[in-house]
């Protein structure tokens, strides 16, 4: 469903000339405004009508047109955008430690090995304020709740299994159904774990599709550029937590 990638023409124009982290903020805002999240079971029960293929997972162009998708559909839209922009990506599914929770699909967006991700995280803090407002909110109990704690990256180091599959680099953890840099819902629902010192996956993520970092700018697709692997997990060396 990702193919050669897809972006609506107007959105592609908006993204031109922007740095990658800002492109992700613009893309997320556009997706949130046009594509509603709904569970796959709800999508199946809909009447197809004239709003595109009535399946939870379909082509990005159909999802943009019909205006709804489950988590996997949101990942297809995001991955198709990354493919169109020549940005490496990885689609993974997460298992929850909470009994009865279904698998949840999220993205990893690739930044080059030499990227200063502390600088990227500082820029993301500025963009969060610009796009979403305050990073801290006071709840009904008059307690401060931090909405944004910084970006989370995984790193594929030289010699690791992840690097063999995805290429070297830093991979931003991104849930397309949530704001950029928002991970509270993943922790709350048991997909990720967080303590004062550590942040990680509750179980090994399963890689479903990716575009290698070293093939991202290639004009022609190779056998490795957009590969689907079911029920396999590849360890990233570590998760880099840059809280601001």
């Amino acid at each position: 469903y990702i193919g050669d990638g897809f972006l609506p023409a107007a959105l592609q124009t908006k993204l031109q000339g922007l740095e990658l982290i800002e492109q992700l903020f613009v893309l997320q805002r556009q997706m949130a405004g046009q594509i509603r999240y709904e569970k796959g079971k709800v999508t199946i029960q809909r009447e197809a009508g004239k709003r595109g293929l009535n399946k939870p997972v379909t082509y990005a162009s159909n999802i943009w047109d019909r205006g709804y998708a489950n988590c996997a559909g949101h990942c297809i839209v995001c991955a198709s955008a990354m493919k169109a922009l020549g940005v490496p990506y990885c689609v993974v599914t997460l298992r929850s430690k909470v009994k009865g929770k279904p698998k949840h699909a999220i993205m990893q967006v690739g930044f080059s090995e030499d990227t200063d991700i502390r600088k990227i995280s500082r820029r993301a803090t500025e963009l969060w304020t610009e796009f979403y407002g305050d990073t801290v909110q006071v709840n009904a109990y008059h307690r401060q709740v931090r909405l944004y704690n910084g970006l989370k990256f995984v790193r594929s180091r030289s010699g690791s299994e992840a690097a063999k599959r995805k290429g070297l680099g830093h991979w931003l953890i991104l849930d397309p159904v949530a704001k950029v840099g928002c991970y509270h819902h993943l922790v709350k629902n048991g997909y990720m774990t967080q303590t004062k010192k550590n942040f990680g996956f509750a179980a090994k993520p399963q890689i479903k599709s990716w575009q290698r970092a070293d093939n991202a700018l290639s004009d022609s697709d190779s056998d490795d550029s957009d590969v689907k692997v079911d029920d396999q997990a590849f360890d990233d060396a570590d998760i880099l937590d840059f809280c601001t």
Side-chain angles (χ1 to χ4, degrees):
Y1 294 112
I2 296 171
D4 294 329
F6 176 81
L7 272 171
L11 178 55
Q12 191 162 17
T13 300
K14 286 182 181 179
L15 297 178
Q16 287 179 354
L18 301 179
E19 57 186 324
L20 176 54
I21 189 63
E22 187 171 358
Q23 288 178 329
L24 294 176
F25 274 85
V26 174
L27 174 62
Q28 188 280 327
R29 183 167 63 182
Q30 194 76 18
M31 289 178 62
Q34 286 188 236
I35 304 172
R36 183 174 63 259
Y37 170 77
E38 65 178 36
K39 295 181 180 179
K41 291 182 179 179
V42 176
T43 302
I44 292 173
Q45 293 170 356
R46 282 177 170 271
E47 294 183 6
K50 298 180 180 180
R51 303 183 68 183
L53 296 174
N54 196 38
K55 298 178 181 179
V57 176
T58 182
Y59 295 100
S61 56
N62 287 327
I63 295 173
W64 280 109
D65 287 342
R66 73 187 189 185
Y68 56 87
N70 65 354
C71 60
H74 276 77
C75 283
I76 285 177
V77 170
C78 187
S80 295
M82 296 300 99
K83 189 68 176 283
L85 294 169
V87 175
Y89 65 84
C90 181
V91 180
V92 302
T93 57
L94 305 180
R95 284 190 172 91
S96 174
K97 63 181 181 181
V98 178
K99 187 176 180 180
K101 287 285 184 182
K103 292 180 182 179
H104 183 65
I106 65 168
M107 295 283 299
Q108 294 177 7
V109 177
F111 288 76
S112 64
E113 177 71 6
D114 60 354
T115 297
D116 183 348
I117 52 179
R118 292 184 184 276
K119 181 179 178 181
I120 297 297
S121 194
R122 289 194 295 270
R123 176 61 178 142
T125 302
E126 298 172 355
L127 290 167
W128 177 283
T129 303
E130 177 184 338
F131 278 74
Y132 307 135
D134 293 337
T135 60
V136 177
Q137 189 178 71
V138 178
N139 64 16
Y141 301 99
H142 305 289
R143 296 176 180 174
Q144 286 191 341
V145 178
R146 184 169 289 278
L147 304 177
Y148 175 72
N149 283 305
L151 301 179
K152 305 293 189 290
F153 290 84
V154 294
R155 185 178 182 183
S156 50
R157 296 179 182 274
S158 177
S160 68
E161 190 65 28
K164 293 176 184 177
R165 298 286 178 171
K166 301 188 300 184
L168 298 175
H170 303 279
W171 301 81
L172 172 64
I173 300 173
L174 177 73
D175 188 347
V177 305
K179 296 175 180 178
V180 178
C182 183
Y183 308 102
H184 298 88
H185 62 296
L186 297 175
V187 175
K188 180 180 178 180
N189 289 287
Y191 297 106
M192 306 197 80
T193 59
Q194 185 169 21
T195 64
K196 289 183 178 180
K197 294 184 178 180
N198 297 309
F199 185 94
F201 299 108
K204 287 183 179 181
Q206 296 177 327
I207 296 179
K208 295 299 181 182
S209 179
W210 73 89
Q211 176 170 276
R212 286 180 58 87
D214 49 10
N215 288 342
L217 300 180
S218 174
D219 292 331
S220 60
D221 289 338
S222 68
D223 292 339
D224 292 328
S225 62
D226 193 8
V227 186
K228 294 182 179 179
V229 179
D230 289 327
D231 298 326
Q232 293 190 32
F234 303 105
D235 289 332
D236 288 287
D238 51 7
I239 289 189
L240 306 179
D241 183 356
F242 289 99
C243 297
T244 55

